[in-house]
Amino acid sequence: MIKRFPLLFFLIVLNISVSFAQSQSVVTGTVTDQSSNSFLPLVSVTIKGTAVATASDEKGKYAISVEPGTYTILFSLVGYEAIEEKVVIKAGETLAIDKALHSGSKQLNEVVIVQQKTSREKETALLAEQKKSVEMKQAIGSQEMAKKGASNAATAVTKTAGIVKLESAKNVFVRGLGDRYNSTSLNGLPLPSEDPLYKNISLDFFQSNIIKNINVNKTFSATIYGDNAGANIDISSKELDDRSFLSIYVEGGANTNAVSVSRFAVAEGAFSYFGFLKNGRNSPITDLNRYTFKSSFQTEKALTPINTNFNITGGRKFNVGKGRNTLSLFGVASNMSDYSYRTGFIGQATNTGDYQQAMDVKRYDYRTTQSLLGNVKFRHTKGSVSLNSLFIHSDAQFVGNYLGYNKDINDNLGSADAQNSLIVRQQNNSNNLFSNQLLANYKFSRKINANIGAVYSTLRGTEPDRKTNAYAMTTSGSYILSANSPGDNNRFFSVLNENDLGAKAEVNYKFNPEANLPVVLTLGGNYRKTDRTFNFTEFDYQQSGLSVDPNHPDASLNQQNLNVGAFKLITLWNNTNLDPMFYIGHRKIGAGYAQLFYPVNENLMVQVGLRNENVEQTITWNTNITSTVTDLTTPPSLIDKNYLLPSLNIKYSINDKNALRFAASETYTMPQFKEMANFLYNDINFNERGNPYLVPSIDYNADLKYDYYLSRKEIISVGAFYKKIQNPVVRMIMNTPGLDYSYVNTKNANVAGAEVEVRKTLYTFKGERNNSDLSFGFNASYLYSQEDQTDVTTGLVSATFTHQKGKMQGASPLLINSDLSYSMDNDKASFLSTLVFNYAYDKVFSVGTTGRENVLEKAVPTLDFINSFGLKKSRLTISLGGRNILDPKFELTQKSTSNVTGKTTDVLISSYKRGITLFLGLGWHL
């Protein structure tokens, strides 16, 4: 009914809300600290002798509804002297009572200051917000992140039910829905991805010292962009709440695999501690007859592979003019470096289990990230204005050695088939993201407030000089370059430039601001414009089996041998054309929305919204596959859609400890740019090609959740959800001998599941000198997914699926996250020890076609052990622990049936172990 008659429903609820507002008697006011005159949040305001109570907000404001009569109001907060006020209130009257509380002692006053500073970072405060919200929100603050050993946002969100980070993907999956179904924002404004292969920015970039809290909203409301069927992950960046502070943290560590190797290999010309590019972003070749590459194929040895992490955080607050106007400055600078090493296996197999490739792997990875966050905020009596600037530089590089059987190399030497194949891959991905936000809110009156925001982000990404060599070992034991294809030996350069502009404007109107739960109408709009250009050039070595020493490849691949014709440099155009191949994407999103929050009574709250969103997207390209530039018969990829997206959120509070929530909505899902870009991306064990004629999916969502609040930091939640997706995008295996992937739209998919979350304090001891507790956290989700996989053609790609129905890609039937924490605190020291366990059952990596079965990512358990010891007098904190303690094996497998025996077995596609990471850190807080 809501979807069919949204305006009628909206007017009915609006009329009811106005009538309800006119009959209220309300006591309202502001609570402050008597000595500092600062606002006091979380003050308990209670009508004595009744169950009517509320708490002041972050600005010290409160409002409480009562029947006409004579009452005694109690104002109380830990560390302050309670105050009572006797009042007489008439029918329909709004009575304003402001109170200033006096602290009981200096010691308690210090405790209150800490509470103010960390209120939106603490587990208790965020759980209180979750309890109050009509939407199904889950939040994790910096306090809980430290408790559960989450060093960055990616690890933090996996502590909430239904979210997992797959080893095979950079970004998280929510309820089995991958990157394309989710959205990421910073302070409510959108962020672009730093990587052309993904829609969302990697959450690994956001280290804990940048984060105030992370809100995970798995249900849709009108204020969120409509391209969202999994979850919106909104990161709130830190800002200064205290008067001033300075914090420094230094950490060292090691990966057990990395320190075990005698020579940690890195790419020549790519490796540096900070990851800054030595040779620039662009290709140095201007003439195919001149061998002017700036680096060699020879790898180098890195220094001792010790992980490091350094950050410094500080800020100061100033009074501006008279009154409570303040200007705060806050900044974070950090550097992280990480070495890892893995040994394992990669393979490609037919549907009968015959390997086309079976190779042992040795891979050396190095990653470094620098991040800078600056916040300037001016607070005044009517609101605030803030400027946030975020810069992230991330550099990831690896050297991989692959030795074994490769059909294309081994079997293409005529009578002298190769005895072995060796492939060496050297890759470097360097990305810079610079995002600037302007946020402002203003309170015009007790009824009207507005907030606006704008963000401009630039992304500059590059994959400079990716090098691949393929060697064939002859019967004599010598090596020659593979001549199966010129592309077996190549150097690749790519550059990504993206500019992203976003804006929002929102007005909130409270019909009855004096009420404890006022009726609120929200009107707003969003705009986002994204322009992306991706250029790439590949240089292939055309030759007929050049003799090469793999330990010294540059002795053969040089200007001298190019001059004598031992090899030729060619591009993917197969001629002398040096123009880069490219794709260009443009996307515009414009939206307007209306949302009404209506409390029917103290127990029942309804939020109904309607969002109108228009999406225009164009992708053009010029590659060796097809071209919209040179071939007029090839049309560009065009999407022009208008969506009317209703949403409904209902909360029913059975009592103060029990709440039931329901949500229903319609959303859509845009395919990712990389899924639509018509170029071929080559990896060692697979190739991937985009499909420019994918269409957006339509998503119908329903959620039901029950919360039982045991205490301020304890909760038991049980929920169920259902999603029906029309035209879902699926990653599938193409009909080729190797592992080649592309994307198609299938007809529909159904996703249903259940979730449970428990946060419980098992033991608490409060003594005269020591306080301690033992707490337990657990969340789990069960997921059922079924996708229609009848044969389908989307644009240029056709899929003949092996099964007509199957699980969705990335959908794990069972996810478990659990933690056990012990904390101790006294006036001299504090101690926190946490054991964190995660488990994800088998999930589909890619969907099988033409008789091949699905490629599965096998179940993986992980265990982390994190400890923190604080010395209060010296303001020092010592951290130590280990991650990935179980060191499980990560495996991709594919079922196959033997032609000889008829038996079905799991064929190994990929396997490796990451090793255990140990760390020791020292922090100082002034």
Side-chain angles (χ1 to χ4, degrees), residues 102-319:
H102 176 67
S103 59
S105 69
K106 180 179 180 181
Q107 182 180 358
L108 290 176
N109 187 49
E110 291 175 351
V111 173
V112 173
I113 291 172
V114 173
Q115 174 68 26
Q116 277 186 265
K117 182 184 74 172
T118 61
S119 60
R120 287 189 55 81
E121 301 177 15
K122 296 187 73 172
E123 188 176 3
T124 52
L126 294 174
L127 188 58
E129 286 190 11
Q130 179 180 326
K131 180 179 179 180
K132 186 177 179 181
S133 174
V134 68
E135 300 174 10
M136 297 182 196
K137 290 183 177 179
Q138 289 178 283
I140 181 169
S142 58
Q143 182 195 57
E144 190 177 359
M145 288 179 63
K147 179 179 177 181
K148 297 185 176 181
S151 59
N152 56 55
T155 308
V157 296
T158 62
K159 310 307 178 186
T160 60
I163 299 183
V164 65
K165 189 176 187 299
L166 304 182
E167 179 63 23
S168 57
K170 181 182 287 187
N171 288 340
V172 297
F173 277 68
V174 180
R175 292 170 167 176
L177 301 178
D179 183 54
R180 75 175 73 91
Y181 291 100
N182 303 313
S183 59
T184 306
S185 55
L186 179 66
N187 301 314
L189 293 171
L191 274 176
S193 170
E194 90 295 348
D195 191 323
L197 300 181
Y198 291 88
K199 168 187 171 183
N200 292 285
I201 187 171
S202 172
L203 297 178
D204 292 337
F205 288 149
F206 297 92
Q207 297 188 51
S208 57
N209 62 331
I210 288 178
I211 299 168
K212 176 186 287 185
N213 57 64
I214 306 171
N215 280 288
V216 180
N217 197 334
K218 299 178 191 173
T219 59
F220 176 71
S221 64
T223 59
I224 301 174
Y225 280 90
D227 184 6
N228 182 8
N232 172 250
I233 299 172
D234 183 44
I235 300 169
S236 294
S237 61
K238 280 191 176 180
E239 56 189 31
L240 187 67
D241 291 319
D242 207 345
R243 178 58 55 181
S244 65
F245 83 100
L246 176 67
S247 177
I248 299 174
Y249 181 76
V250 180
E251 180 183 291
N255 175 270
T256 54
N257 286 356
V259 296
S260 68
V261 295
S262 58
R263 183 183 187 274
F264 193 97
V266 293
E268 194 275 326
F271 176 77
S272 68
Y273 175 74
F274 292 105
F276 298 137
L277 297 178
K278 294 182 178 180
N279 300 321
R281 306 172 72 209
N282 300 307
S283 165
I285 299 296
T286 57
D287 184 343
L288 292 176
N289 293 314
R290 297 184 61 200
Y291 201 79
T292 53
F293 294 110
K294 296 181 179 180
S295 66
S296 69
F297 284 107
Q298 186 70 45
T299 62
E300 297 179 332
K301 178 182 178 181
L303 299 176
T304 305
I306 298 298
N307 302 336
T308 58
N309 187 0
F310 170 80
N311 65 69
I312 181 170
T313 308
R316 187 166 184 180
K317 184 182 294 184
F318 304 89
N319 293 326

Side-chain angles (χ1 to χ4, degrees), residues 2-16:
I2 295 173
K3 183 179 177 181
R4 295 177 61 187
F5 306 105
L7 182 59
L8 177 60
F9 181 83
F10 181 79
L11 292 175
I12 291 172
V13 175
L14 180 61
N15 181 63
I16 294 172

Side-chain angles (χ1 to χ4, degrees), residues 396-416:
Q397 52 189 278
F398 75 85
V399 172
N401 294 298
Y402 307 83
L403 179 65
Y405 172 73
N406 178 290
K407 182 177 176 59
D408 290 336
I409 299 175
N410 283 57
D411 298 352
N412 282 279
L413 294 180
S415 58

Side-chain angles (χ1 to χ4, degrees), residues 196-197 492 534 536 581-583 621-626 673-674 676-682 688-692:
L197 300 181
F492 178 92
F534 182 73
F536 64 99
M581 299 181 184
F582 64 83
Y583 77 83
W621 63 91
N622 188 27
T623 73
N624 60 329
I625 301 175
T626 61
F673 271 132
K674 72 103 176 182
M676 302 186 71
N678 197 21
F679 78 100
L680 193 67
Y681 184 86
N682 297 303
E688 185 169 290
R689 172 182 171 181
N691 182 355

